[in-house]
Short mmCIF file of all heavy atoms in Angstrom, two decimals:
data_model
loop_
_atom_site.label_atom_id
_atom_site.label_comp_id
_atom_site.label_asym_id
_atom_site.label_seq_id
_atom_site.Cartn_x
_atom_site.Cartn_y
_atom_site.Cartn_z
N LYS A 795 0.83 -1.21 0.00
CA LYS A 795 0.00 0.00 0.00
C LYS A 795 0.86 1.26 0.00
O LYS A 795 0.52 2.25 -0.62
CB LYS A 795 -0.93 0.01 1.21
CG LYS A 795 -2.08 -0.95 1.11
CD LYS A 795 -2.98 -0.81 2.31
CE LYS A 795 -4.14 -1.79 2.22
NZ LYS A 795 -5.02 -1.68 3.37
N THR A 796 1.99 1.20 0.70
CA THR A 796 2.89 2.35 0.76
C THR A 796 3.44 2.67 -0.63
O THR A 796 3.48 3.84 -1.03
CB THR A 796 4.06 2.07 1.72
OG1 THR A 796 3.53 1.69 2.98
CG2 THR A 796 4.94 3.29 1.87
N HIS A 797 3.83 1.63 -1.36
CA HIS A 797 4.34 1.84 -2.71
C HIS A 797 3.27 2.45 -3.62
O HIS A 797 3.55 3.35 -4.40
CB HIS A 797 4.84 0.52 -3.33
CG HIS A 797 6.05 -0.03 -2.65
ND1 HIS A 797 7.24 0.64 -2.64
CD2 HIS A 797 6.23 -1.16 -1.95
CE1 HIS A 797 8.13 -0.07 -1.96
NE2 HIS A 797 7.53 -1.18 -1.52
N LEU A 798 2.06 1.96 -3.49
CA LEU A 798 0.95 2.49 -4.29
C LEU A 798 0.71 3.96 -3.96
O LEU A 798 0.49 4.78 -4.85
CB LEU A 798 -0.32 1.66 -4.07
CG LEU A 798 -1.54 2.08 -4.86
CD1 LEU A 798 -1.25 2.00 -6.35
CD2 LEU A 798 -2.72 1.19 -4.50
N CYS A 799 0.77 4.31 -2.68
CA CYS A 799 0.58 5.71 -2.27
C CYS A 799 1.66 6.60 -2.87
O CYS A 799 1.38 7.70 -3.33
CB CYS A 799 0.59 5.82 -0.75
SG CYS A 799 -0.89 5.18 0.03
N PHE A 800 2.91 6.14 -2.85
CA PHE A 800 4.00 6.93 -3.44
C PHE A 800 3.81 7.11 -4.94
O PHE A 800 4.08 8.17 -5.49
CB PHE A 800 5.36 6.30 -3.15
CG PHE A 800 5.84 6.53 -1.75
CD1 PHE A 800 6.25 5.48 -0.97
CD2 PHE A 800 5.86 7.81 -1.21
CE1 PHE A 800 6.69 5.70 0.33
CE2 PHE A 800 6.30 8.04 0.08
CZ PHE A 800 6.71 6.98 0.87
N ILE A 801 3.36 6.07 -5.60
CA ILE A 801 3.14 6.15 -7.05
C ILE A 801 2.02 7.16 -7.34
O ILE A 801 2.16 8.01 -8.23
CB ILE A 801 2.80 4.77 -7.64
CG1 ILE A 801 4.05 3.88 -7.60
CG2 ILE A 801 2.27 4.89 -9.06
CD1 ILE A 801 3.80 2.42 -7.94
N LEU A 802 0.94 7.10 -6.59
CA LEU A 802 -0.17 8.04 -6.80
C LEU A 802 0.27 9.47 -6.47
O LEU A 802 -0.10 10.41 -7.16
CB LEU A 802 -1.38 7.64 -5.96
CG LEU A 802 -2.07 6.35 -6.39
CD1 LEU A 802 -3.16 5.97 -5.39
CD2 LEU A 802 -2.65 6.49 -7.78
N LEU A 803 1.06 9.62 -5.41
CA LEU A 803 1.55 10.94 -5.05
C LEU A 803 2.44 11.50 -6.15
O LEU A 803 2.32 12.66 -6.55
CB LEU A 803 2.32 10.88 -3.73
CG LEU A 803 2.90 12.19 -3.21
CD1 LEU A 803 1.78 13.18 -2.92
CD2 LEU A 803 3.73 11.94 -1.97
N ALA A 804 3.32 10.67 -6.68
CA ALA A 804 4.21 11.11 -7.77
C ALA A 804 3.40 11.49 -9.00
O ALA A 804 3.69 12.49 -9.66
CB ALA A 804 5.21 10.01 -8.11
N ALA A 805 2.37 10.73 -9.31
CA ALA A 805 1.53 11.05 -10.47
C ALA A 805 0.81 12.38 -10.26
O ALA A 805 0.70 13.19 -11.18
CB ALA A 805 0.52 9.93 -10.72
N GLY A 806 0.36 12.62 -9.05
CA GLY A 806 -0.32 13.89 -8.75
C GLY A 806 0.62 15.08 -8.84
O GLY A 806 0.27 16.13 -9.37
N VAL A 807 1.84 14.92 -8.37
CA VAL A 807 2.84 15.99 -8.46
C VAL A 807 3.18 16.26 -9.91
O VAL A 807 3.34 17.40 -10.32
CB VAL A 807 4.11 15.60 -7.64
CG1 VAL A 807 5.25 16.56 -7.94
CG2 VAL A 807 3.79 15.59 -6.16
N TRP A 808 3.28 15.22 -10.72
CA TRP A 808 3.59 15.41 -12.14
C TRP A 808 2.46 16.14 -12.85
O TRP A 808 2.68 17.01 -13.67
CB TRP A 808 3.82 14.05 -12.80
CG TRP A 808 4.11 14.20 -14.26
CD1 TRP A 808 5.29 14.51 -14.84
CD2 TRP A 808 3.17 14.07 -15.33
NE1 TRP A 808 5.15 14.60 -16.21
CE2 TRP A 808 3.87 14.33 -16.53
CE3 TRP A 808 1.81 13.78 -15.40
CZ2 TRP A 808 3.24 14.29 -17.77
CZ3 TRP A 808 1.20 13.75 -16.63
CH2 TRP A 808 1.92 13.99 -17.79
N ALA A 809 1.21 15.82 -12.51
CA ALA A 809 0.06 16.42 -13.19
C ALA A 809 -0.19 17.86 -12.74
O ALA A 809 -0.71 18.66 -13.49
CB ALA A 809 -1.19 15.58 -12.95
N ALA A 810 0.20 18.19 -11.52
CA ALA A 810 -0.10 19.51 -10.96
C ALA A 810 0.44 20.67 -11.81
O ALA A 810 -0.28 21.63 -12.05
CB ALA A 810 0.40 19.60 -9.53
N PRO A 811 1.70 20.64 -12.27
CA PRO A 811 2.17 21.78 -13.07
C PRO A 811 1.38 21.97 -14.36
O PRO A 811 1.14 23.09 -14.78
CB PRO A 811 3.63 21.43 -13.40
CG PRO A 811 4.02 20.43 -12.37
CD PRO A 811 2.77 19.71 -11.99
N HIS A 812 0.96 20.87 -14.98
CA HIS A 812 0.18 20.99 -16.22
C HIS A 812 -1.18 21.61 -15.94
O HIS A 812 -1.65 22.44 -16.69
CB HIS A 812 0.00 19.61 -16.87
CG HIS A 812 1.29 19.00 -17.30
ND1 HIS A 812 2.09 19.56 -18.27
CD2 HIS A 812 1.94 17.89 -16.88
CE1 HIS A 812 3.16 18.82 -18.44
NE2 HIS A 812 3.10 17.80 -17.60
N THR A 813 -1.79 21.21 -14.84
CA THR A 813 -3.10 21.74 -14.48
C THR A 813 -2.99 23.22 -14.16
O THR A 813 -3.79 24.02 -14.62
CB THR A 813 -3.67 20.97 -13.27
OG1 THR A 813 -3.70 19.58 -13.59
CG2 THR A 813 -5.06 21.43 -12.94
N SER A 814 -1.98 23.59 -13.35
CA SER A 814 -1.84 25.00 -12.99
C SER A 814 -1.47 25.83 -14.22
O SER A 814 -1.90 26.97 -14.34
CB SER A 814 -0.81 25.18 -11.89
OG SER A 814 0.48 24.84 -12.34
N SER A 815 -0.68 25.26 -15.13
CA SER A 815 -0.33 25.99 -16.35
C SER A 815 -1.58 26.28 -17.17
O SER A 815 -1.74 27.38 -17.67
CB SER A 815 0.65 25.18 -17.20
OG SER A 815 1.87 25.06 -16.53
N ALA A 816 -2.45 25.29 -17.31
CA ALA A 816 -3.68 25.49 -18.07
C ALA A 816 -4.57 26.50 -17.36
O ALA A 816 -5.14 27.38 -18.01
CB ALA A 816 -4.41 24.16 -18.25
N ALA A 817 -4.67 26.41 -16.04
CA ALA A 817 -5.51 27.35 -15.30
C ALA A 817 -4.95 28.77 -15.42
O ALA A 817 -5.71 29.73 -15.60
CB ALA A 817 -5.57 26.94 -13.82
N GLU A 818 -3.64 28.89 -15.37
CA GLU A 818 -3.01 30.20 -15.51
C GLU A 818 -3.24 30.77 -16.91
O GLU A 818 -3.55 31.95 -17.07
CB GLU A 818 -1.52 30.06 -15.23
CG GLU A 818 -0.81 31.36 -15.01
CD GLU A 818 0.64 31.15 -14.59
OE1 GLU A 818 1.08 30.01 -14.42
OE2 GLU A 818 1.32 32.18 -14.46
N LEU A 819 -3.11 29.91 -17.92
CA LEU A 819 -3.37 30.34 -19.30
C LEU A 819 -4.80 30.82 -19.45
O LEU A 819 -5.06 31.84 -20.08
CB LEU A 819 -3.12 29.18 -20.27
CG LEU A 819 -1.69 28.95 -20.69
CD1 LEU A 819 -1.59 27.69 -21.54
CD2 LEU A 819 -1.14 30.12 -21.46
N LEU A 820 -5.74 30.08 -18.88
CA LEU A 820 -7.16 30.46 -19.00
C LEU A 820 -7.44 31.79 -18.30
O LEU A 820 -8.22 32.60 -18.80
CB LEU A 820 -8.05 29.35 -18.46
CG LEU A 820 -8.07 28.08 -19.30
CD1 LEU A 820 -8.75 26.94 -18.56
CD2 LEU A 820 -8.72 28.32 -20.64
N THR A 821 -6.78 32.02 -17.18
CA THR A 821 -6.96 33.29 -16.46
C THR A 821 -6.42 34.45 -17.30
O THR A 821 -7.09 35.48 -17.45
CB THR A 821 -6.22 33.25 -15.11
OG1 THR A 821 -6.77 32.18 -14.33
CG2 THR A 821 -6.36 34.55 -14.35
N LEU A 822 -5.22 34.27 -17.86
CA LEU A 822 -4.65 35.31 -18.71
C LEU A 822 -5.50 35.53 -19.96
O LEU A 822 -5.69 36.66 -20.40
CB LEU A 822 -3.21 34.95 -19.09
CG LEU A 822 -2.19 35.00 -17.97
CD1 LEU A 822 -0.88 34.35 -18.40
CD2 LEU A 822 -1.96 36.43 -17.52
N LEU A 823 -6.01 34.45 -20.51
CA LEU A 823 -6.84 34.54 -21.71
C LEU A 823 -8.14 35.29 -21.43
O LEU A 823 -8.62 36.03 -22.28
CB LEU A 823 -7.12 33.13 -22.24
CG LEU A 823 -7.51 32.99 -23.68
CD1 LEU A 823 -6.54 33.69 -24.60
CD2 LEU A 823 -7.58 31.51 -24.06
N GLU A 824 -8.66 35.13 -20.24
CA GLU A 824 -9.87 35.88 -19.86
C GLU A 824 -9.57 37.39 -19.84
O GLU A 824 -10.39 38.19 -20.27
CB GLU A 824 -10.36 35.41 -18.49
CG GLU A 824 -11.74 35.90 -18.14
CD GLU A 824 -12.81 35.43 -19.11
OE1 GLU A 824 -12.78 34.28 -19.56
OE2 GLU A 824 -13.71 36.25 -19.42
N ARG A 825 -8.38 37.75 -19.37
CA ARG A 825 -7.99 39.17 -19.36
C ARG A 825 -7.86 39.69 -20.80
O ARG A 825 -8.23 40.83 -21.08
CB ARG A 825 -6.68 39.35 -18.61
CG ARG A 825 -6.83 39.15 -17.14
CD ARG A 825 -5.55 39.47 -16.41
NE ARG A 825 -5.67 39.03 -15.03
CZ ARG A 825 -4.68 38.51 -14.34
NH1 ARG A 825 -3.48 38.40 -14.87
NH2 ARG A 825 -4.85 38.14 -13.10
N ILE A 826 -7.30 38.87 -21.67
CA ILE A 826 -7.17 39.27 -23.07
C ILE A 826 -8.56 39.48 -23.66
O ILE A 826 -8.83 40.47 -24.32
CB ILE A 826 -6.38 38.22 -23.88
CG1 ILE A 826 -4.92 38.20 -23.44
CG2 ILE A 826 -6.48 38.50 -25.37
CD1 ILE A 826 -4.10 37.07 -24.04
N TYR A 827 -9.46 38.54 -23.39
CA TYR A 827 -10.84 38.62 -23.89
C TYR A 827 -11.48 39.94 -23.45
O TYR A 827 -12.10 40.63 -24.25
CB TYR A 827 -11.64 37.42 -23.36
CG TYR A 827 -13.06 37.38 -23.84
CD1 TYR A 827 -13.39 36.73 -25.03
CD2 TYR A 827 -14.08 37.97 -23.11
CE1 TYR A 827 -14.70 36.67 -25.47
CE2 TYR A 827 -15.40 37.92 -23.55
CZ TYR A 827 -15.70 37.28 -24.73
OH TYR A 827 -16.99 37.22 -25.17
N ASP A 828 -11.30 40.29 -22.19
CA ASP A 828 -11.91 41.52 -21.65
C ASP A 828 -11.29 42.78 -22.25
O ASP A 828 -11.92 43.82 -22.25
CB ASP A 828 -11.77 41.56 -20.13
CG ASP A 828 -12.63 40.49 -19.45
OD1 ASP A 828 -13.59 39.99 -20.08
OD2 ASP A 828 -12.31 40.14 -18.29
N SER A 829 -10.06 42.68 -22.74
CA SER A 829 -9.38 43.87 -23.24
C SER A 829 -9.51 44.07 -24.75
O SER A 829 -9.01 45.06 -25.27
CB SER A 829 -7.90 43.83 -22.87
OG SER A 829 -7.23 42.93 -23.71
N VAL A 830 -10.15 43.13 -25.43
CA VAL A 830 -10.30 43.28 -26.89
C VAL A 830 -11.11 44.55 -27.17
O VAL A 830 -12.22 44.71 -26.68
CB VAL A 830 -10.97 42.04 -27.51
CG1 VAL A 830 -11.33 42.28 -28.97
CG2 VAL A 830 -10.05 40.84 -27.40
N THR A 831 -10.51 45.43 -27.93
CA THR A 831 -11.13 46.73 -28.19
C THR A 831 -12.01 46.67 -29.44
O THR A 831 -11.95 45.73 -30.22
CB THR A 831 -10.05 47.80 -28.41
OG1 THR A 831 -9.27 47.43 -29.56
CG2 THR A 831 -9.15 47.94 -27.21
N ALA A 832 -12.78 47.71 -29.61
CA ALA A 832 -13.65 47.80 -30.79
C ALA A 832 -12.81 47.81 -32.07
O ALA A 832 -13.23 47.26 -33.09
CB ALA A 832 -14.51 49.04 -30.71
N ASP A 833 -11.63 48.42 -32.02
CA ASP A 833 -10.75 48.45 -33.19
C ASP A 833 -10.37 47.05 -33.64
O ASP A 833 -10.26 46.78 -34.82
CB ASP A 833 -9.46 49.23 -32.89
CG ASP A 833 -9.73 50.70 -32.66
OD1 ASP A 833 -10.80 51.18 -33.08
OD2 ASP A 833 -8.86 51.36 -32.06
N MET A 834 -10.16 46.16 -32.68
CA MET A 834 -9.76 44.79 -33.02
C MET A 834 -10.92 43.97 -33.56
O MET A 834 -10.70 42.92 -34.15
CB MET A 834 -9.16 44.09 -31.80
CG MET A 834 -7.74 44.53 -31.51
SD MET A 834 -7.01 43.60 -30.17
CE MET A 834 -6.97 41.96 -30.84
N GLN A 835 -12.13 44.41 -33.35
CA GLN A 835 -13.29 43.64 -33.81
C GLN A 835 -13.37 43.59 -35.33
O GLN A 835 -14.09 42.77 -35.89
CB GLN A 835 -14.59 44.18 -33.21
CG GLN A 835 -14.74 43.86 -31.74
CD GLN A 835 -14.68 42.37 -31.45
OE1 GLN A 835 -15.23 41.54 -32.17
NE2 GLN A 835 -14.00 42.01 -30.39
N ASN A 836 -12.62 44.45 -36.02
CA ASN A 836 -12.57 44.39 -37.48
C ASN A 836 -11.67 43.27 -37.96
O ASN A 836 -11.77 42.84 -39.11
CB ASN A 836 -12.09 45.73 -38.05
CG ASN A 836 -13.10 46.83 -37.78
OD1 ASN A 836 -14.30 46.58 -37.73
ND2 ASN A 836 -12.60 48.04 -37.57
N LEU A 837 -10.78 42.80 -37.09
CA LEU A 837 -9.88 41.70 -37.42
C LEU A 837 -10.67 40.40 -37.51
O LEU A 837 -11.59 40.17 -36.72
CB LEU A 837 -8.81 41.59 -36.31
CG LEU A 837 -7.85 40.43 -36.39
CD1 LEU A 837 -6.91 40.61 -37.59
CD2 LEU A 837 -7.03 40.35 -35.11
#
């Protein structure tokens, strides 16, 4: 059981940076969305 716990913990640590990266990207993207000006709407 100890080995299984370490494996699951390692998998969670590996996945965490990817999840936070995606969450951070989505947060920044929301700011970009809010800042799109009327001038850019012609693009």
Side-chain angles (χ1 to χ4, degrees):
K795 286 183 180 179
T796 305
H797 293 297
L798 181 59
C799 287
F800 283 129
I801 290 170
L802 291 174
L803 180 62
V807 168
W808 179 82
H812 297 296
T813 304
S814 66
S815 294
E818 194 173 358
L819 277 174
L820 291 169
T821 300
L822 290 168
L823 201 51
E824 192 62 39
R825 289 185 191 144
I826 292 172
Y827 181 89
D828 292 340
S829 76
V830 171
T831 62
D833 293 341
M834 283 185 64
Q835 287 302 319
N836 293 328
L837 175 69

